[in-house]
Amino acid sequence: MDSEELLNQLNVKNRTNTLDLAVENKIDHQKVIGIVNSILALNSNIITAVPVTNKCWELTSEGESILLNGSYEANVFKYIPPDGIPQKDLMSLPHAKIGFSQAMSKGWISIDRSINKVVRKTSSIIDQVKDDLAKLKISSDEIADSAKQDYKKRKLIREVIIKSFDLKKGPEFTTTITKLETELTPDMIQSGSWKTTQFKSYNFEALGQTLDFGCLHPLLKVRADIRQIFLEMGFTEMPTNNFVESSFWNFDSLFQPQQHPARDSHDTFFLDEPKSSENFPNCYLNKVKDVHSKGGYGSQGYGYNWSIEEAKKNVLRTHTTAVSARMLYSLANNFKPSKYFSIDRVFRNETLDATHLAEFHQVEGVIADYNLTLGDLIGILYMFFERLGMTELKFKPAYNPYTEPSMEIFCYHKGLGKWIEIGNSGMFRPEMLLPMGLPEKVNVIAWGLSLERPTMIKYGINNIRDLVGPKVNLQMVQINPICRLDK
Ligand code: FB9
């Protein structure tokens, strides 16, 4: 059946249902639905199609088999010879147990204990189950509800919901389908055929095409937002495009002693190739060596024999503070007050767990200016974290090899209902700044946090492997909401 045949049948009937059309034309119901949809797509005013939900019964595969081969009880009855049969010989029949009990309960057979055989109690039977299933295939109104419930219990039939459509003639009903044009072409305009061409009416209800588009990973969304916060606060981004760093810039320049446990291979990734760096500013290097070994600038130093070989060792940078050191050194010979920031990957040879990998993104802010105080640091921390939606802060004295004083930063997180650590901060030590050649009165305040922690909290991710790594569900990347750090 095609569209015009359906329209002709509807024209005769005035109204019909897609299920009836399927039965009358001996075609699949879904094919009828397809024809109806194609007519509506051409012109939604030719016919009206009102959705209808019907409950009806259909045979299960077991029901179909009984319709074909007869019920189990009828087959047991037919199998019993006139002089009876031992019960065990009956069991070779398919579904003999069910057939036997059904035939017994219907009074068709009994067990004659005198001959210890199963015998017929009547000369013939009617296979009502098979007859009922045949009727059910046509219409479920033909048999009693009690029988339907019995067959449902025996899993011979099941109730299904059938969605069909009641069809009627529409306001622009026609039995001839003219394909409506969907585009006005230059030829139509030139020839004037547009005047008589029938155009399909706009379907303003139609949804737009879902466009495939790229999605930013939540980590990159948070990075973009934090970067924006720094830029709006007048900070300049530092060049962080070197994962490999010399121990000199990663540790020594920060006045971190060569015996410090963080410089051990249990905490730091040392490179085999390239194993070491060679070029350091010689004058600066000697000042660093002196401040470590002999002190200076009012500091007693660490009093150990500083090793250039140790300083040359290449590592995967353990913090972006190494980049801050390079920036501050480059600032020294023509100092002007500056504000820098960095957001990039750092690497630590740590024990892995649900929230820690061997790498994370460090966020760092650095301000260099004359006569900065701890109060300035606290003030800038309030300004920065307020933009991240955190206003209730607390500070706890801490220790870093390169800052004094140092503070851990905490905020009361309403969502989590508790105080959480949100970063670390401090004032870079004179033993770090003065060997660089920065002016005496210049202080540098700095702070750091990670990118992963805020991202995991914002996006409700508990295991860092659901955020980064090979097992990340890309759906998460596609469906995650926009980033609102301040909410
Ligand atoms: O990010 C951290 N926590 C955090 C930050 C934001 C946040 O936002 C939520 C929406 C509300 C939530 C949590 N932390 C720092 C604190 C802890 O997570 C800590 O357990 C893990 N820390 C990392 C290092 O761990 C080995 C986070 C990382 C960190 C710590 C210190 C610095 C940078 C990153 C620093 C520094 C520094 C100090 C002085 C001068 C210059 C830099």
Side-chain angles (χ1 to χ4, degrees):
M1 176 169 73
D2 64 14
S3 300
E4 294 202 340
E5 283 165 337
L6 185 145
L7 291 170
N8 284 319
Q9 291 182 33
L10 179 59
N11 191 29
V12 170
K13 297 163 178 279
N14 276 322
R15 62 172 48 229
T16 180
N17 177 280
T18 51
L19 269 175
D20 300 335
L21 285 171
V23 171
E24 291 152 14
N25 293 275
K26 296 184 176 56
I27 60 172
D28 186 80
H29 183 229
Q30 287 310 312
K31 184 167 176 4
V32 177
I33 301 282
I35 294 168
V36 167
N37 286 333
S38 63
I39 295 170
L40 292 171
L42 279 176
N43 178 344
S44 55
N45 297 319
I46 294 178
I47 59 173
T48 62
V50 177
V52 176
T53 301
N54 294 95
K55 275 189 182 179
C56 65
W57 294 92
E58 68 177 19
L59 272 57
T60 62
S61 55
E62 191 171 356
E64 292 288 355
S65 159
I66 285 176
L67 181 62
L68 195 64
N69 307 310
S71 67
Y72 306 139
E73 53 270 37
N75 294 334
V76 163
F77 179 81
K78 288 172 190 162
Y79 192 73
I80 298 171
D83 57 345
I85 182 174
Q87 185 169 352
K88 64 179 175 38
D89 295 353
L90 266 182
M91 293 305 138
S92 60
L93 275 177
H95 309 287
K97 273 190 178 175
I98 300 174
F100 176 78
S101 63
Q102 287 290 337
M104 288 286 279
S105 64
K106 286 177 180 173
W108 295 353
I109 61 174
S110 66
I111 297 175
D112 183 336
R113 295 290 173 204
S114 63
I115 56 172
N116 209 10
K117 284 185 178 183
V118 178
V119 296
R120 290 184 181 185
K121 287 176 70 179
T122 169
S123 57
S124 67
I125 50 102
I126 293 170
D127 190 349
Q128 194 59 52
V129 174
K130 179 178 176 180
D131 295 348
D132 285 352
L133 292 181
K135 290 173 187 168
L136 261 171
K137 276 217 59 132
I138 308 296
S139 161
S140 59
D141 303 337
E142 304 277 322
I143 62 172
D145 282 347
S146 57
K148 285 180 206 161
Q149 292 313 317
D150 179 39
Y151 298 146
K152 180 182 176 185
K153 205 159 56 174
R154 290 179 61 177
K155 294 187 172 41
L156 304 181
I157 61 174
R158 60 169 160 256
E159 197 163 22
V160 289
I161 308 290
I162 298 274
K163 291 183 179 169
S164 61
F165 291 90
D166 281 344
L167 306 178
K168 285 198 299 185
K169 296 178 181 177
E172 295 171 28
F173 182 76
T174 168
T175 57
T176 52
I177 292 278
T178 47
K179 188 172 173 356
L180 301 176
E181 290 299 332
T182 53
E183 280 185 34
L184 176 63
T185 63
D187 294 348
M188 289 177 182
I189 294 171
Q190 276 175 335
S191 67
S193 67
W194 62 271
K195 294 171 188 163
T196 54
T197 302
Q198 276 199 311
F199 288 94
K200 183 180 176 192
S201 49
Y202 274 109
N203 171 9
F204 292 102
E205 306 303 317
L207 295 175
Q209 268 187 328
T210 49
L211 300 174
D212 277 338
F213 51 85
C215 309
L216 265 184
H217 187 283
L219 210 58
L220 301 183
K221 285 183 181 180
V222 174
R223 183 180 70 174
D225 277 26
I226 293 180
R227 174 178 284 132
Q228 190 57 28
I229 289 170
F230 275 115
L231 294 173
E232 286 170 3
M233 291 175 70
F235 285 68
T236 304
E237 189 155 15
M238 292 187 265
T240 56
N241 55 330
N242 64 304
F243 291 170
V244 174
E245 184 58 276
S246 66
S247 293
F248 177 78
W249 286 108
N250 198 77
F251 298 117
D252 296 287
S253 72
L254 299 173
F255 194 56
Q256 187 149 352
Q258 294 184 339
Q259 308 84 342
H260 192 284
R263 296 184 64 158
D264 186 281
S265 61
H266 293 302
D267 287 40
T268 298
F269 291 109
F270 287 85
L271 270 72
D272 285 332
E273 182 58 37
K275 202 172 185 61
S276 63
S277 295
E278 299 303 327
N279 305 316
F280 304 104
N282 202 34
C283 173
Y284 173 47
L285 182 138
N286 287 318
K287 287 180 179 172
V288 169
K289 173 180 178 179
D290 289 346
V291 80
H292 278 248
S293 52
K294 301 175 207 164
Y297 316 102
S299 166
Q300 64 179 20
Y302 295 112
Y304 70 93
N305 185 13
W306 187 83
S307 154
I308 177 67
E309 291 316 312
E310 191 58 39
K312 285 181 173 181
K313 288 178 183 175
N314 281 334
V315 299
L316 287 182
R317 69 178 173 218
T318 61
H319 46 200
T320 49
T321 319
V323 183
S324 306
R326 285 176 177 272
M327 289 303 289
L328 291 168
Y329 174 72
S330 64
L331 197 59
N333 64 8
N334 179 19
F335 176 75
K336 60 182 175 37
S338 302
K339 297 186 289 194
Y340 292 121
F341 77 96
S342 60
I343 309 175
D344 212 332
R345 291 161 71 177
V346 296
F347 308 86
R348 300 193 183 177
N349 191 1
E350 287 202 327
T351 310
L352 310 183
D353 61 23
T355 56
H356 288 87
L357 293 174
E359 64 176 89
F360 65 92
H361 288 75
Q362 180 174 339
V363 177
E364 181 157 325
V366 180
I367 305 177
D369 201 346
Y370 296 97
N371 306 312
L372 286 177
T373 67
L374 191 63
D376 295 313
L377 173 58
I378 291 174
I380 200 74
L381 290 174
Y382 270 103
M383 287 175 70
F384 174 78
F385 281 104
E386 177 191 21
R387 286 167 171 76
L388 283 173
M390 292 173 269
T391 51
E392 209 175 338
L393 304 184
K394 277 184 181 175
F395 304 96
K396 182 180 161 191
Y399 173 76
N400 294 316
Y402 37 85
T403 53
E404 185 58 37
S406 309
M407 300 183 301
E408 282 172 350
I409 313 156
F410 293 81
C411 91
Y412 185 77
H413 191 279
K414 294 187 181 68
L416 300 173
K418 61 182 183 178
W419 285 91
I420 57 169
E421 186 185 349
I422 56 172
N424 195 304
S425 64
M427 302 187 74
F428 285 132
R429 299 178 61 147
E431 296 93 331
M432 169 183 164
L433 301 179
L434 296 176
M436 291 179 175
L438 286 162
E440 279 278 340
K441 292 292 181 192
V442 166
N443 296 119
V444 181
I445 56 178
W447 72 98
L449 62 151
S450 74
L451 202 55
E452 284 77 4
R453 291 298 294 141
T455 304
M456 287 172 72
I457 291 176
K458 280 290 167 189
Y459 285 92
I461 295 170
N462 299 318
N463 189 317
I464 195 155
R465 287 161 187 76
D466 296 331
L467 180 69
V468 290
K471 294 185 179 164
V472 165
N473 170 6
L474 289 182
Q475 278 293 314
M476 176 278 290
V477 177
Q478 281 187 333
I479 62 176
N480 62 69
I482 58 169
C483 173
R484 287 301 307 267
L485 285 176
D486 56 343
K487 292 288 176 213

